[in-house]
Amino acid sequence: MTSKTDQPIDLKPLIADLSGLEIITDLTLVTRLSHDYYTYSPILQPLLEDKRGDLVVRPTTEAEVLKVAQVCVKHKVPLTVRGAGTGNYGQCVPLHGGVILDLSNMQQIKWVKPGIACVEPGVKLAAIDKQARETGWEIRMAPSTYRKATIGGFIGGGSGGVGSVTYGLLSDRGNLLALKVVTMEDEPRVIELRGDDVYQVAHAWGTNGIITELEIPLGPAYAWAEAIVTFSDFMTAAHFGQALSDSDGIIKKLVCICADPIPNYFAALRSYIPQGTHCALLLVAECCLEPFAELVKAYGGTVTYQKTAQEASRGITLVEYSWNHTTLHARSVDPTLTYLQTIFPADQSLKLLEHMYHHFGDEAMMHLEFLRVGGQAVPAALQIIRYTTPERLNDIIKYHEDQGAFIANPHTCILEDGGRKTVDMAQLQFKQKMDPYGLLNPGKMRAWEEKM
Ligand code: FAD
């Protein structure tokens, strides 16, 4: 049992003050609820495997969150917020023990209006999508973990996903409208953030506020057909991905390109992807299938699988082979594999991407996800890496960066060392005001640790 300063925590008075709330102290369960999918990183695995909280609290209302915050401040005990725990970098793994605040029971969808939904943080993305679709709207973007992941966790730790080819990333202005946040002051308060102020807390990994309510924008709902297109040449597949992403008249939600031999890891899709070919996994609006077929023809691709939205709603969905689910399937066959997260510069000729594809060959198997960055469609990559040593992994990262590719390093559990690279002054200043004792998810925000 530890605290921020790694002094043992006296749990008895803490538990007494939390009486009336759902508390979990069972060691096995607390350990399980202290972890996420950091195991995808051979660097983070040994660093985080023995980290765990001292107890888990599961509030169901904002008033209960305020109570937990007040008790943690009173006892100066660290508090780490958790949604569904599907994050990849140990984002919700407590480095200094304390209370795990599991918000997965705050599941109310407060209202859905044309284009906007107001929800509690523990609602699963799939549940929001389902309710929004009943009114002709849908979630703009979701991680491939949308069935399990919570909206609070997506805003607290995610970046984008299926839908980003149209709407960009979560960090793009307009993709998050408002937040209610509980502070960790002596007398915790609820504050409301709107407009650009939401980015003081969004993607701060729960280090400077506890999100208790969110207003998110929605997009018009489409019937999404699913298709696999195969190509005999990888770069043709990549250029097809770029062309489809650039085709403003073809409405799409997912443009995922996997180089051979990645499809070998997709057991359930094997029969649709001939050995040695490269595949595109796609979600295209049903109303656009005719022009889509023309584009496929223009690039010499072969449609080997196509399902209507209704057919796709049963059984497997290609969404769960895209984004980091691609890594999941590869690792379920070979757990020594790991991955990288890269954004290539906007360049219609895809020169740097082509260079990396040939330069690393089988060591960095190319998996692309197209998304909009600054109004242009660009390929992001979640390359599957045949891991050997930490030094080699760093060399691969450095080589990419030296050549002009942006790497959001998934092998660190420090906020600034991943995708951000620099200190976010707005987030730091917000933490100074909202969490003056530094109790929220301690150890994750480098700027705060260095300041202390
Ligand atoms: P958690 O993992 O529980 O939390 C994530 C972070 O947010 C933590 O730092 C936590 O402290 C903080 N947090 C949680 N709730 C709150 C709150 N209410 N207030 C403040 N902070 C909070 N991510 C993507 O962006 N796109 C993808 O496509 C994607 N694909 C994935 C595929 C796989 C197979 C896996 C394992 C992960 C993937 N991820 C992806 C990462 C992760 O699934 C998503 O970011 C997801 O949205 C996290 O939601 P969660 O509820 O599990 O959050």
Side-chain angles (χ1 to χ4, degrees), residues 62 117-121 151-156 170 175-182 189-204 206 208-217 427 430:
E62 189 176 78
C118 178
V119 297
E120 287 190 335
I151 182 71
F154 190 39
I155 297 301
L170 280 177
N175 281 332
L176 174 62
L177 302 176
L179 294 176
K180 279 193 183 158
V181 178
V182 165
R189 299 174 287 155
V190 182
I191 59 161
E192 186 174 2
L193 303 173
R194 306 198 71 88
D196 283 357
D197 287 347
V198 296
Y199 296 104
Q200 296 173 127
V201 174
H203 204 78
N208 62 6
I210 306 165
I211 301 166
T212 50
E213 192 179 291
L214 308 93
E215 265 178 50
I216 54 163
Q427 289 193 343
F430 193 73

Side-chain angles (χ1 to χ4, degrees), residues 227-234 237-238 240-241 255-264 266 269-270 272-274 276-282 302 304 318 321 326 366-368:
I228 299 178
V229 182
T230 61
F231 297 85
S232 55
D233 167 65
F234 172 70
F240 166 78
V255 181
C256 165
I257 311 287
C258 295
D260 175 65
I262 294 175
N264 289 341
F266 300 161
L269 303 179
R270 276 307 308 144
Y272 304 106
I273 308 170
T277 62
H278 314 268
C279 69
L281 308 181
L282 308 163
T302 310
T304 56
L318 297 185
Y321 287 82
T326 311
M366 203 54 97
H367 159 206
L368 305 177

Side-chain angles (χ1 to χ4, degrees), residues 81 83-88 91 144-145 150 153-154 159-160 205 211 323-324:
V81 191
T86 67
N88 278 122
Q91 289 170 320
S144 56
T145 48
T150 66
F154 190 39
S159 54
W205 296 14
I211 301 166
W323 289 84
N324 225 10

Side-chain angles (χ1 to χ4, degrees), residues 29-93:
L29 206 46
V30 172
T31 304
R32 190 164 67 72
L33 292 171
S34 297
H35 288 178
D36 65 6
Y37 288 82
Y38 68 84
T39 43
Y40 286 17
S41 165
I43 310 294
L44 292 177
Q45 169 96 44
L47 294 179
L48 299 181
E49 64 188 353
D50 66 342
K51 304 290 182 215
R52 65 171 186 85
D54 294 291
L55 55 88
V56 177
V57 188
R58 279 186 163 151
T60 53
T61 62
E62 189 176 78
E64 290 187 350
V65 173
L66 278 161
K67 180 170 177 181
V68 183
Q70 192 263 324
V71 170
C72 286
V73 173
K74 176 181 163 194
H75 293 268
K76 302 291 178 289
V77 166
L79 182 156
T80 302
V81 191
R82 177 185 176 89
T86 67
N88 278 122
Y89 335 119
Q91 289 170 320
C92 68
V93 177

Side-chain angles (χ1 to χ4, degrees), residues 429-449:
Q429 283 161 5
F430 193 73
K431 183 171 174 75
Q432 282 164 348
K433 283 187 280 177
M434 301 301 142
D435 179 26
Y437 301 106
L439 297 172
L440 284 174
N441 207 356
K444 302 284 175 59
M445 188 190 270
R446 179 183 295 289
W448 176 268
E449 302 302 319

